């Protein structure tokens, strides 16, 4: 697919101790030849300095007694054979600690926000680290309220656990992640680390501006490997962000909120790298190391005594196929799965979270309480019954249903509308002020609808609101005023 750069070798750039030279360039993969000395170990970082900006390579395979195959973490445009390569003798490391808060970095830890340089004493950690052992891991049970009704009700999050938002293109993953960032930082008041994996440049720029506007940037580190960068950068940027989160967890003993958008791009970049390295593809064209690569990332997202890492990940679902190998592999490592529905998005039900397919292992009476569990199950039961009757309603009409079914359908439709919500991050587009709703208010509203208190209300009174009190005010305002005698 890529043509090898066939320029003559620079005879003066022969390898010296700890150095080598480029012998082949194939897109994002570079072959480096060394002399008689020992070859660098796998995952060792190599650097090429004879460019406007230093190019970092990571060793992925030994192809001979004197040559290695590397993945480039920056663009290889203009790189020629014979260029000298330096062996750093260690894996890629990135800056960590207080100095990176409020800053925007790339996969190698280079600043990209045009701000001042980091202090010289800023610690640096390798991006390749072992996950915490089972003996030191902890599993929290403290609920992590988001202020988003449908998530807090049906897919609750718990501090120190992992959750993901699954959805196809254009159903609202990034908007939901940005709302969660705003809500979590507002409520959480802790350290946040955002990993932009394969993000568009526009999205990263908007996120940076939003964080500055809301005043949340000072407690957030942002690490981007954008869509226009080589696959090696998109493949490793999640590890760079995770390393920064681990520093605050292990050294500073602070709770960390880790947000990743989009984990599918991490898998996709791995598949590109695998193909460039010459590995045979596996199922549906994915890399044969899919399961181990995802596990290596997800197993590092863990909590230890005294500090936790809470992860919220966005996962693109290709062609809305939730049985895709990448999607199912990622899902096995999660406690909460928030599924976005294209059909609900088409109906204007935002956030387009499907209440039936979204689930959480944490929706348990011992964690959320018996009352929350009972209401959530009743909500799901009502919506499932309504979905089962939709074909009958479409063919025969609502009047052909029994009185009991008509009552249930009305309540289910009101529940679906009550679970919609305007977002703070979309105020500038919709003109509707965002709402943040406590879990108690969400349960109160759902219970009232299930018990029939809203049966006489117009459905539109419950659409895109916060609490039930707001719907009550809207209903009162829209009711006709009786004429005085």
């Amino acid at each position: 697919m890529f043509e090898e750069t066939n320029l003559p070798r620079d005879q003066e750039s022969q390898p010296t101790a700890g150095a080598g030279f480029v012998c082949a360039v194939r897109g994002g993969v570079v072959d480096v030849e060394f002399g008689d000395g020992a070859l660098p170990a796998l995952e060792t970082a190599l650097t090429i300095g004879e460019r406007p900006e230093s190019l970092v390579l990571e060793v992925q395979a030994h192809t001979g007694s004197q040559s290695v195959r590397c993945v480039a973490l920056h663009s290889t445009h203009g790189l020629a054979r014979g260029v000298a390569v330096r062996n750093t003798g260690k894996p890629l490391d990135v800056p960590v600690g207080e100095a990176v808060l409020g800053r925007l970095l790339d996969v190698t830890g280079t600043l990209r926000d045009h701000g001042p340089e980091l202090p010289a004493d800023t610690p640096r950690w390798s991006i390749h680290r072992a996950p915490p052992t089972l003996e030191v891991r902890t599993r929290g049970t403290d609920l992590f309220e988001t202020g988003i009704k449908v998530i807090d009700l049906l897919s609750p999050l718990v501090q120190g656990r992992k959750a993901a938002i699954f959805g196809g293109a254009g159903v609202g993953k990034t908007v939901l992640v940005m709302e969660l960032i705003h809500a979590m930082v507002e409520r959480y008041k802790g350290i946040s680390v955002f990993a932009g994996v394969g993000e568009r440049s526009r999205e990263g720029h908007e996120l940076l501006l939003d964080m500055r506007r809301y005043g949340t940037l000072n407690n957030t580190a942002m690490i981007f490997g954008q869509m226009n960068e080589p696959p090696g950068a998109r493949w490793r940027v999640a590890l760079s962000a995770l390393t920064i989160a681990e520093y605050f967890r292990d050294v500073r003993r602070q709770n960390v909120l880790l947000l990743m958008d989009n984990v599918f791009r991490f898998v996709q970049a791995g598949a590109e790298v695998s193909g460039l390295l010459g590995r045979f593809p596996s199922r549906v064209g994915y890399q044969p190391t899919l399961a181990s690569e995802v596990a290596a990332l997800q197993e590092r997202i863990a909590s230890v005594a005294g500090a936790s890492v809470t992860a919220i990940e966005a996962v693109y679902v290709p062609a809305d196929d939730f049985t895709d190998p990448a999607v199912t592999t990622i899902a096995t490592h999660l406690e909460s799965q928030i599924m976005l529905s294209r059909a609900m998005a088409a109906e204007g039900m935002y956030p387009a979270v499907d209440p039936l397919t979204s689930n959480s292992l944490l929706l348990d009476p011992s964690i959320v309480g018996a009352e929350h569990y009972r209401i959530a199950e009743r909500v799901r039961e009502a919506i499932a019954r309504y979905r089962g009757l939709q074909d009958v309603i479409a063919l025969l009409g609502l009047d052909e249903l029994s009185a009991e079914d008509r009552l249930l359908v009305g309540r289910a439709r009101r529940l679906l509308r009550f679970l919609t919500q305007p977002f703070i991050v979309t105020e500038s587009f919709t003109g509707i002020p965002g709402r943040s709703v406590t879990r108690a208010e969400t349960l109160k509203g759902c219970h009232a609808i299930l018990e029939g208190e809203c049966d006489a209300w117009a459905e539109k009174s419950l659409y895109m609101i916060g609490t039930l009190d707001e719907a009550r005010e809207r209903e009162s305002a829209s009711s006709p005023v009786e004429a005085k005698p």
Side-chain angles (χ1 to χ4, degrees), residues 108-148:
T108 61
T110 304
L111 294 174
R112 297 297 180 184
D113 55 7
H114 305 293
E117 292 295 322
L118 296 176
D121 58 351
T122 302
R124 300 183 71 94
W125 276 20
S126 166
I127 68 170
H128 299 287
R129 303 178 58 80
T133 60
L134 294 177
E135 291 83 357
V136 300
R137 292 187 183 221
T138 59
R139 296 177 68 84
T141 57
D142 295 333
L143 284 177
F144 212 125
E145 288 194 25
T146 65
I148 300 174

mmCIF file of all heavy atoms in Angstrom, residues 108-148:
data_model
loop_
_atom_site.group_PDB
_atom_site.id
_atom_site.type_symbol
_atom_site.label_atom_id
_atom_site.label_comp_id
_atom_site.label_asym_id
_atom_site.label_seq_id
_atom_site.Cartn_x
_atom_site.Cartn_y
_atom_site.Cartn_z
ATOM 1 N N THR A 108 3.512 11.966 22.855
ATOM 2 C CA THR A 108 4.857 11.906 23.420
ATOM 3 C C THR A 108 5.053 12.869 24.584
ATOM 4 O O THR A 108 6.147 12.970 25.117
ATOM 5 C CB THR A 108 5.908 12.212 22.337
ATOM 6 O OG1 THR A 108 5.690 13.539 21.837
ATOM 7 C CG2 THR A 108 5.813 11.218 21.194
ATOM 8 N N GLY A 109 3.974 13.579 24.974
ATOM 9 C CA GLY A 109 4.083 14.533 26.071
ATOM 10 C C GLY A 109 4.529 15.915 25.653
ATOM 11 O O GLY A 109 4.786 16.773 26.502
ATOM 12 N N THR A 110 4.604 16.168 24.347
ATOM 13 C CA THR A 110 4.975 17.492 23.849
ATOM 14 C C THR A 110 3.783 18.440 23.969
ATOM 15 O O THR A 110 2.655 18.073 23.626
ATOM 16 C CB THR A 110 5.412 17.408 22.374
ATOM 17 O OG1 THR A 110 6.485 16.463 22.266
ATOM 18 C CG2 THR A 110 5.879 18.769 21.874
ATOM 19 N N LEU A 111 4.025 19.648 24.458
ATOM 20 C CA LEU A 111 2.945 20.616 24.626
ATOM 21 C C LEU A 111 2.441 21.084 23.270
ATOM 22 O O LEU A 111 3.217 21.362 22.357
ATOM 23 C CB LEU A 111 3.443 21.819 25.429
ATOM 24 C CG LEU A 111 3.820 21.543 26.887
ATOM 25 C CD1 LEU A 111 4.443 22.779 27.511
ATOM 26 C CD2 LEU A 111 2.601 21.103 27.686
ATOM 27 N N ARG A 112 1.101 21.189 23.153
ATOM 28 C CA ARG A 112 0.490 21.621 21.901
ATOM 29 C C ARG A 112 -0.440 22.813 22.093
ATOM 30 O O ARG A 112 -1.234 23.115 21.203
ATOM 31 C CB ARG A 112 -0.299 20.452 21.293
ATOM 32 C CG ARG A 112 0.548 19.261 20.906
ATOM 33 C CD ARG A 112 1.537 19.619 19.811
ATOM 34 N NE ARG A 112 2.364 18.477 19.430
ATOM 35 C CZ ARG A 112 3.352 18.549 18.549
ATOM 36 N NH1 ARG A 112 3.629 19.727 17.974
ATOM 37 N NH2 ARG A 112 4.068 17.494 18.237
ATOM 38 N N ASP A 113 -0.367 23.473 23.242
ATOM 39 C CA ASP A 113 -1.259 24.596 23.490
ATOM 40 C C ASP A 113 -0.556 25.946 23.367
ATOM 41 O O ASP A 113 -1.123 26.979 23.718
ATOM 42 C CB ASP A 113 -1.905 24.469 24.871
ATOM 43 C CG ASP A 113 -0.864 24.333 25.987
ATOM 44 O OD1 ASP A 113 0.351 24.471 25.701
ATOM 45 O OD2 ASP A 113 -1.256 24.082 27.141
ATOM 46 N N HIS A 114 0.697 25.937 22.877
ATOM 47 C CA HIS A 114 1.479 27.164 22.683
ATOM 48 C C HIS A 114 1.663 27.935 23.986
ATOM 49 O O HIS A 114 1.832 29.150 23.974
ATOM 50 C CB HIS A 114 0.814 28.065 21.633
ATOM 51 C CG HIS A 114 0.576 27.396 20.315
ATOM 52 N ND1 HIS A 114 1.598 27.000 19.488
ATOM 53 C CD2 HIS A 114 -0.580 27.032 19.703
ATOM 54 C CE1 HIS A 114 1.091 26.445 18.409
ATOM 55 N NE2 HIS A 114 -0.233 26.435 18.518
ATOM 56 N N GLY A 115 1.649 27.216 25.100
ATOM 57 C CA GLY A 115 1.870 27.845 26.386
ATOM 58 C C GLY A 115 3.324 27.736 26.808
ATOM 59 O O GLY A 115 4.193 27.285 26.048
ATOM 60 N N PRO A 116 3.635 28.142 28.045
ATOM 61 C CA PRO A 116 5.022 28.068 28.527
ATOM 62 C C PRO A 116 5.490 26.628 28.666
ATOM 63 O O PRO A 116 4.683 25.706 28.826
ATOM 64 C CB PRO A 116 4.948 28.771 29.886
ATOM 65 C CG PRO A 116 3.512 28.659 30.312
ATOM 66 C CD PRO A 116 2.714 28.703 29.052
ATOM 67 N N GLU A 117 6.791 26.454 28.628
ATOM 68 C CA GLU A 117 7.369 25.118 28.773
ATOM 69 C C GLU A 117 7.128 24.586 30.191
ATOM 70 O O GLU A 117 6.985 25.362 31.139
ATOM 71 C CB GLU A 117 8.873 25.156 28.489
ATOM 72 C CG GLU A 117 9.220 25.459 27.041
ATOM 73 C CD GLU A 117 8.753 24.364 26.103
ATOM 74 O OE1 GLU A 117 8.834 23.189 26.482
ATOM 75 O OE2 GLU A 117 8.285 24.690 24.990
ATOM 76 N N LEU A 118 7.110 23.265 30.313
ATOM 77 C CA LEU A 118 6.967 22.646 31.625
ATOM 78 C C LEU A 118 8.239 22.858 32.438
ATOM 79 O O LEU A 118 9.337 22.968 31.868
ATOM 80 C CB LEU A 118 6.696 21.149 31.475
ATOM 81 C CG LEU A 118 5.386 20.759 30.770
ATOM 82 C CD1 LEU A 118 5.315 19.245 30.620
ATOM 83 C CD2 LEU A 118 4.178 21.259 31.546
ATOM 84 N N PRO A 119 8.146 22.912 33.760
ATOM 85 C CA PRO A 119 9.354 23.043 34.584
ATOM 86 C C PRO A 119 10.333 21.903 34.327
ATOM 87 O O PRO A 119 9.940 20.778 34.001
ATOM 88 C CB PRO A 119 8.799 22.982 36.013
ATOM 89 C CG PRO A 119 7.371 23.410 35.895
ATOM 90 C CD PRO A 119 6.906 22.923 34.566
ATOM 91 N N ALA A 120 11.603 22.201 34.483
ATOM 92 C CA ALA A 120 12.640 21.203 34.193
ATOM 93 C C ALA A 120 12.567 20.002 35.126
ATOM 94 O O ALA A 120 13.014 18.909 34.775
ATOM 95 C CB ALA A 120 14.017 21.861 34.287
ATOM 96 N N ASP A 121 12.022 20.190 36.351
ATOM 97 C CA ASP A 121 11.969 19.083 37.303
ATOM 98 C C ASP A 121 10.661 18.288 37.218
ATOM 99 O O ASP A 121 10.366 17.491 38.114
ATOM 100 C CB ASP A 121 12.144 19.612 38.731
ATOM 101 C CG ASP A 121 11.077 20.643 39.103
ATOM 102 O OD1 ASP A 121 10.325 21.070 38.203
ATOM 103 O OD2 ASP A 121 10.998 21.014 40.296
ATOM 104 N N THR A 122 9.880 18.466 36.147
ATOM 105 C CA THR A 122 8.636 17.712 35.986
ATOM 106 C C THR A 122 8.954 16.227 35.837
ATOM 107 O O THR A 122 9.737 15.841 34.960
ATOM 108 C CB THR A 122 7.862 18.192 34.748
ATOM 109 O OG1 THR A 122 7.579 19.586 34.884
ATOM 110 C CG2 THR A 122 6.558 17.426 34.598
ATOM 111 N N PRO A 123 8.394 15.361 36.676
ATOM 112 C CA PRO A 123 8.687 13.923 36.550
ATOM 113 C C PRO A 123 8.124 13.352 35.255
ATOM 114 O O PRO A 123 7.152 13.871 34.707
ATOM 115 C CB PRO A 123 7.989 13.308 37.770
ATOM 116 C CG PRO A 123 6.939 14.300 38.160
ATOM 117 C CD PRO A 123 7.465 15.648 37.785
ATOM 118 N N ARG A 124 8.760 12.288 34.775
ATOM 119 C CA ARG A 124 8.311 11.607 33.558
ATOM 120 C C ARG A 124 8.175 10.117 33.866
ATOM 121 O O ARG A 124 9.045 9.527 34.506
ATOM 122 C CB ARG A 124 9.284 11.828 32.397
ATOM 123 C CG ARG A 124 9.466 13.289 32.005
ATOM 124 C CD ARG A 124 10.386 13.431 30.812
ATOM 125 N NE ARG A 124 9.766 12.949 29.584
ATOM 126 C CZ ARG A 124 9.109 13.727 28.723
ATOM 127 N NH1 ARG A 124 8.982 15.023 28.967
ATOM 128 N NH2 ARG A 124 8.580 13.223 27.619
ATOM 129 N N TRP A 125 7.087 9.531 33.392
ATOM 130 C CA TRP A 125 6.823 8.108 33.606
ATOM 131 C C TRP A 125 6.687 7.407 32.260
ATOM 132 O O TRP A 125 6.166 7.975 31.293
ATOM 133 C CB TRP A 125 5.529 7.923 34.402
ATOM 134 C CG TRP A 125 5.687 8.042 35.884
ATOM 135 C CD1 TRP A 125 6.694 8.647 36.569
ATOM 136 C CD2 TRP A 125 4.786 7.539 36.871
ATOM 137 N NE1 TRP A 125 6.487 8.546 37.911
ATOM 138 C CE2 TRP A 125 5.321 7.875 38.133
ATOM 139 C CE3 TRP A 125 3.581 6.852 36.833
ATOM 140 C CZ2 TRP A 125 4.694 7.532 39.325
ATOM 141 C CZ3 TRP A 125 2.946 6.506 38.012
ATOM 142 C CH2 TRP A 125 3.502 6.841 39.247
ATOM 143 N N SER A 126 7.115 6.153 32.239
ATOM 144 C CA SER A 126 6.942 5.322 31.044
ATOM 145 C C SER A 126 5.462 5.050 30.810
ATOM 146 O O SER A 126 4.686 4.847 31.756
ATOM 147 C CB SER A 126 7.688 4.004 31.223
ATOM 148 O OG SER A 126 7.283 3.061 30.238
ATOM 149 N N ILE A 127 5.051 5.028 29.532
ATOM 150 C CA ILE A 127 3.643 4.761 29.231
ATOM 151 C C ILE A 127 3.309 3.275 29.340
ATOM 152 O O ILE A 127 2.133 2.909 29.323
ATOM 153 C CB ILE A 127 3.260 5.280 27.833
ATOM 154 C CG1 ILE A 127 3.963 4.474 26.734
ATOM 155 C CG2 ILE A 127 3.553 6.768 27.708
ATOM 156 C CD1 ILE A 127 3.435 4.770 25.335
ATOM 157 N N HIS A 128 4.319 2.430 29.444
ATOM 158 C CA HIS A 128 4.088 0.983 29.570
ATOM 159 C C HIS A 128 4.283 0.587 31.031
ATOM 160 O O HIS A 128 5.404 0.541 31.533
ATOM 161 C CB HIS A 128 5.049 0.201 28.669
ATOM 162 C CG HIS A 128 4.878 0.516 27.210
ATOM 163 N ND1 HIS A 128 3.802 0.087 26.474
ATOM 164 C CD2 HIS A 128 5.650 1.250 26.368
ATOM 165 C CE1 HIS A 128 3.910 0.520 25.232
ATOM 166 N NE2 HIS A 128 5.035 1.224 25.148
ATOM 167 N N ARG A 129 3.176 0.334 31.716
ATOM 168 C CA ARG A 129 3.218 0.033 33.136
ATOM 169 C C ARG A 129 2.332 -1.177 33.422
ATOM 170 O O ARG A 129 1.339 -1.419 32.730
ATOM 171 C CB ARG A 129 2.731 1.232 33.954
ATOM 172 C CG ARG A 129 3.510 2.501 33.687
ATOM 173 C CD ARG A 129 2.967 3.681 34.476
ATOM 174 N NE ARG A 129 2.978 3.410 35.910
ATOM 175 C CZ ARG A 129 4.048 3.514 36.679
ATOM 176 N NH1 ARG A 129 5.193 3.904 36.149
ATOM 177 N NH2 ARG A 129 3.981 3.257 37.958
ATOM 178 N N ALA A 130 2.688 -1.906 34.450
ATOM 179 C CA ALA A 130 1.897 -3.073 34.830
ATOM 180 C C ALA A 130 0.652 -2.616 35.591
ATOM 181 O O ALA A 130 0.690 -1.639 36.333
ATOM 182 C CB ALA A 130 2.722 -4.017 35.703
ATOM 183 N N PRO A 131 -0.461 -3.316 35.418
ATOM 184 C CA PRO A 131 -1.672 -2.955 36.183
ATOM 185 C C PRO A 131 -1.500 -3.302 37.650
ATOM 186 O O PRO A 131 -0.649 -4.126 38.015
ATOM 187 C CB PRO A 131 -2.759 -3.806 35.523
ATOM 188 C CG PRO A 131 -2.028 -4.970 34.927
ATOM 189 C CD PRO A 131 -0.687 -4.442 34.502
ATOM 190 N N PRO A 132 -2.287 -2.685 38.526
ATOM 191 C CA PRO A 132 -2.200 -3.035 39.956
ATOM 192 C C PRO A 132 -2.543 -4.511 40.171
ATOM 193 O O PRO A 132 -3.377 -5.082 39.468
ATOM 194 C CB PRO A 132 -3.264 -2.131 40.603
ATOM 195 C CG PRO A 132 -3.510 -1.040 39.625
ATOM 196 C CD PRO A 132 -3.273 -1.619 38.276
ATOM 197 N N THR A 133 -1.894 -5.112 41.125
ATOM 198 C CA THR A 133 -2.172 -6.523 41.425
ATOM 199 C C THR A 133 -3.533 -6.652 42.109
ATOM 200 O O THR A 133 -4.078 -5.693 42.652
ATOM 201 C CB THR A 133 -1.081 -7.109 42.334
ATOM 202 O OG1 THR A 133 -1.058 -6.365 43.570
ATOM 203 C CG2 THR A 133 0.285 -7.019 41.655
ATOM 204 N N LEU A 134 -4.062 -7.846 42.085
ATOM 205 C CA LEU A 134 -5.385 -8.079 42.679
ATOM 206 C C LEU A 134 -5.393 -7.789 44.175
ATOM 207 O O LEU A 134 -6.420 -7.402 44.737
ATOM 208 C CB LEU A 134 -5.825 -9.520 42.423
ATOM 209 C CG LEU A 134 -6.092 -9.902 40.963
ATOM 210 C CD1 LEU A 134 -6.453 -11.373 40.855
ATOM 211 C CD2 LEU A 134 -7.200 -9.044 40.372
ATOM 212 N N GLU A 135 -4.234 -7.958 44.835
ATOM 213 C CA GLU A 135 -4.184 -7.767 46.283
ATOM 214 C C GLU A 135 -4.434 -6.315 46.690
ATOM 215 O O GLU A 135 -4.946 -6.051 47.779
ATOM 216 C CB GLU A 135 -2.821 -8.222 46.839
ATOM 217 C CG GLU A 135 -2.596 -9.723 46.782
ATOM 218 C CD GLU A 135 -2.110 -10.187 45.428
ATOM 219 O OE1 GLU A 135 -1.998 -9.337 44.523
ATOM 220 O OE2 GLU A 135 -1.867 -11.393 45.260
ATOM 221 N N VAL A 136 -4.059 -5.385 45.831
ATOM 222 C CA VAL A 136 -4.167 -3.969 46.209
ATOM 223 C C VAL A 136 -5.385 -3.292 45.592
ATOM 224 O O VAL A 136 -5.680 -2.141 45.893
ATOM 225 C CB VAL A 136 -2.887 -3.198 45.808
ATOM 226 C CG1 VAL A 136 -1.676 -3.786 46.486
ATOM 227 C CG2 VAL A 136 -2.704 -3.183 44.290
ATOM 228 N N ARG A 137 -6.107 -3.976 44.726
ATOM 229 C CA ARG A 137 -7.268 -3.360 44.080
ATOM 230 C C ARG A 137 -8.433 -3.254 45.050
ATOM 231 O O ARG A 137 -8.602 -4.095 45.937
ATOM 232 C CB ARG A 137 -7.716 -4.180 42.861
ATOM 233 C CG ARG A 137 -6.740 -4.155 41.712
ATOM 234 C CD ARG A 137 -7.325 -4.849 40.503
ATOM 235 N NE ARG A 137 -6.382 -4.906 39.408
ATOM 236 C CZ ARG A 137 -6.705 -4.695 38.141
ATOM 237 N NH1 ARG A 137 -7.951 -4.399 37.815
ATOM 238 N NH2 ARG A 137 -5.798 -4.774 37.194
ATOM 239 N N THR A 138 -9.237 -2.230 44.828
ATOM 240 C CA THR A 138 -10.468 -2.060 45.601
ATOM 241 C C THR A 138 -11.620 -1.844 44.636
ATOM 242 O O THR A 138 -11.421 -1.432 43.489
ATOM 243 C CB THR A 138 -10.379 -0.849 46.552
ATOM 244 O OG1 THR A 138 -10.127 0.340 45.777
ATOM 245 C CG2 THR A 138 -9.271 -1.036 47.565
ATOM 246 N N ARG A 139 -12.828 -2.126 45.093
ATOM 247 C CA ARG A 139 -14.020 -1.956 44.273
ATOM 248 C C ARG A 139 -15.005 -1.093 45.055
ATOM 249 O O ARG A 139 -15.613 -1.553 46.025
ATOM 250 C CB ARG A 139 -14.644 -3.307 43.915
ATOM 251 C CG ARG A 139 -13.727 -4.171 43.060
ATOM 252 C CD ARG A 139 -14.338 -5.532 42.784
ATOM 253 N NE ARG A 139 -15.504 -5.450 41.934
ATOM 254 C CZ ARG A 139 -15.469 -5.395 40.608
ATOM 255 N NH1 ARG A 139 -14.304 -5.383 39.987
ATOM 256 N NH2 ARG A 139 -16.571 -5.348 39.893
ATOM 257 N N GLY A 140 -15.110 0.163 44.653
ATOM 258 C CA GLY A 140 -15.967 1.092 45.362
ATOM 259 C C GLY A 140 -17.443 0.830 45.130
ATOM 260 O O GLY A 140 -17.842 0.179 44.155
ATOM 261 N N THR A 141 -18.257 1.353 46.033
ATOM 262 C CA THR A 141 -19.713 1.252 45.918
ATOM 263 C C THR A 141 -20.390 2.614 46.061
ATOM 264 O O THR A 141 -21.613 2.678 46.169
ATOM 265 C CB THR A 141 -20.273 0.289 46.984
ATOM 266 O OG1 THR A 141 -19.889 0.746 48.284
ATOM 267 C CG2 THR A 141 -19.760 -1.131 46.770
ATOM 268 N N ASP A 142 -19.602 3.689 46.051
ATOM 269 C CA ASP A 142 -20.168 5.032 46.168
ATOM 270 C C ASP A 142 -20.716 5.475 44.821
ATOM 271 O O ASP A 142 -19.987 5.543 43.825
ATOM 272 C CB ASP A 142 -19.100 6.028 46.639
ATOM 273 C CG ASP A 142 -18.610 5.720 48.041
ATOM 274 O OD1 ASP A 142 -19.386 5.125 48.802
ATOM 275 O OD2 ASP A 142 -17.456 6.071 48.353
ATOM 276 N N LEU A 143 -22.011 5.785 44.785
ATOM 277 C CA LEU A 143 -22.636 6.197 43.538
ATOM 278 C C LEU A 143 -22.027 7.500 43.028
ATOM 279 O O LEU A 143 -21.692 8.395 43.792
ATOM 280 C CB LEU A 143 -24.137 6.368 43.727
ATOM 281 C CG LEU A 143 -24.954 5.075 43.793
ATOM 282 C CD1 LEU A 143 -26.420 5.389 44.045
ATOM 283 C CD2 LEU A 143 -24.801 4.278 42.520
ATOM 284 N N PHE A 144 -21.931 7.583 41.730
ATOM 285 C CA PHE A 144 -21.336 8.731 41.045
ATOM 286 C C PHE A 144 -22.454 9.411 40.268
ATOM 287 O O PHE A 144 -22.726 9.074 39.120
ATOM 288 C CB PHE A 144 -20.253 8.225 40.095
ATOM 289 C CG PHE A 144 -19.108 9.163 39.914
ATOM 290 C CD1 PHE A 144 -17.819 8.739 40.144
ATOM 291 C CD2 PHE A 144 -19.303 10.465 39.499
ATOM 292 C CE1 PHE A 144 -16.746 9.596 39.966
ATOM 293 C CE2 PHE A 144 -18.247 11.329 39.323
ATOM 294 C CZ PHE A 144 -16.963 10.900 39.557
ATOM 295 N N GLU A 145 -23.137 10.345 40.900
ATOM 296 C CA GLU A 145 -24.275 11.002 40.247
ATOM 297 C C GLU A 145 -23.802 11.918 39.128
ATOM 298 O O GLU A 145 -22.899 12.721 39.314
ATOM 299 C CB GLU A 145 -25.100 11.789 41.265
ATOM 300 C CG GLU A 145 -25.908 10.913 42.192
ATOM 301 C CD GLU A 145 -26.966 11.710 42.954
ATOM 302 O OE1 GLU A 145 -27.392 12.771 42.452
ATOM 303 O OE2 GLU A 145 -27.356 11.265 44.045
ATOM 304 N N THR A 146 -24.452 11.800 37.977
ATOM 305 C CA THR A 146 -24.077 12.602 36.813
ATOM 306 C C THR A 146 -25.011 13.786 36.595
ATOM 307 O O THR A 146 -24.661 14.717 35.857
ATOM 308 C CB THR A 146 -24.103 11.742 35.546
ATOM 309 O OG1 THR A 146 -25.448 11.321 35.283
ATOM 310 C CG2 THR A 146 -23.214 10.515 35.701
ATOM 311 N N GLY A 147 -26.210 13.743 37.173
ATOM 312 C CA GLY A 147 -27.198 14.780 36.904
ATOM 313 C C GLY A 147 -27.979 14.521 35.638
ATOM 314 O O GLY A 147 -28.856 15.302 35.273
ATOM 315 N N ILE A 148 -27.677 13.419 34.931
ATOM 316 C CA ILE A 148 -28.400 13.026 33.711
ATOM 317 C C ILE A 148 -29.389 11.928 34.107
ATOM 318 O O ILE A 148 -28.985 10.842 34.538
ATOM 319 C CB ILE A 148 -27.427 12.543 32.627
ATOM 320 C CG1 ILE A 148 -26.456 13.674 32.273
ATOM 321 C CG2 ILE A 148 -28.176 12.079 31.383
ATOM 322 C CD1 ILE A 148 -25.349 13.272 31.324
#
